[in-house]
Amino acid sequence: MLTASVVLAALALTLAWPVPLALSRARWTARAPGTALVLWQSIALAGGLSMIGSLVTYGLIPFGDNLIDGGIRLINHLFAGTLPTGATLPQMFALCLAVLLTGHLLLNLVLTAVRSERQRKRHLSLVNLLSAPLEGNPGTRVIDHPSPVAYCLAGTSSSVTVLSEGLLALLDHDQLRAVIAHERAHLAQQHHLVLIAFKSWHSALPWFPIANRAENAVALLVEMLADDQARRATDDRTLATAIALVGSGARSDPLAPELAWANRGEIEPGLVGPRVARLVNPQPPLPLGARVCVLIGAIALLVIPTVLLALI
C-alpha cells in the first residue's frame, strides 16, 4: 500500500507540472490537434486519479492490506466510532483530504455545467428574440450588431450558429462560408463539453498554474480542430483571412467579448495568431507512427494508476 501510494504520488506530481508544461510548449500539437487533445484529457484524468488514489492508499494503510479490505474496515470503524491500532494523524488527514478533493472537483464540474447550460439557455432566448434566420443556412441566426461576431450555442436539445450584421458586411461569400463551417464543426464535434471539463478544473484549482495553462491549450486545440473541418469548405488563405478579420474587428469593439462568450477563440489574440500562422504556413500532419505513439502514451497514463489501484 505504501509503495503504491508513493508511486501514485510521483505520477500525480509528474502530471501536475513537468508533463503538461512540456505539452503546452510542444510544437507538434498544431500538426495533430485531435491527438494532442486526447493526450490533454488523459493527463487531466490520470493526474486526478493518481492524486486521489495516492491519498486514499496512504490513508487506508492502518485499515487493511488492500483497498477493498481497507475500505470495508474503514466503514466498520466509522460506524463504531473507533480507529485501528497504528492509525496516525497524517493518514487520517490524507483520507479526509481525498474525500474533500473528490467532492470539490465533482461539485465544480456539476456547477460549471449547470451554469453554462443556464447561460446558454438565457443567451439563446435573447438570440431568438433579437435575431433573424440567415436565408439558406438552417440553424444560423443573424443579430443586428456592427461588430464582426461569430459563435455557436451548443445544447442538448437545440444548437444554433450566431452571426452579426457586421460580420456579413465585412466578409465575402467564401470567407463567410468558412466561418459558418468552423462554427458548425464546434457543434458537430461537441467541443463545448471538453471546454466545460477544463474550465471546471481551472475553477476548482484557480491557484494551480497548470490548470490555466491547460484550459488555454485545450481552447486553442478545439479551434484548430474546427479550422481543419472548415478547410474542407474553402482554401487555407481564405479561412486565415476570415479569422484575422473577425479577430481584429471584434477586438476593436468592447462589447464583442460579451457577445462571443460561447466561442472566445475568434477574438482572443493568443488564439487567433497561432491559428492564422498555422494556415498561412501549413506544416505536414504528424506522421501516423508518431500519432499512434502519443495515443498509446495517453492510454498508458490512464492504465497505470488504474492497474495500481486494482492490484492493491
Side-chain angles (χ1 to χ4, degrees), residues 212-230:
N212 178 59
R213 189 182 291 267
E215 184 183 7
N216 291 334
V218 168
L220 177 57
L221 289 174
V222 299
E223 293 301 330
M224 289 181 175
L225 282 171
D227 288 341
D228 286 344
Q229 186 68 26

Side-chain angles (χ1 to χ4, degrees), residues 163-192:
L163 310 175
S164 68
E165 292 286 358
L167 182 83
L168 299 182
L170 179 66
L171 304 183
D172 62 28
H173 178 267
D174 290 337
Q175 293 166 351
L176 181 62
R177 185 156 52 93
V179 169
I180 294 176
H182 173 96
E183 298 305 329
R184 287 180 175 172
H186 281 310
L187 297 175
Q189 298 175 15
Q190 300 288 296
H191 290 158
H192 64 289

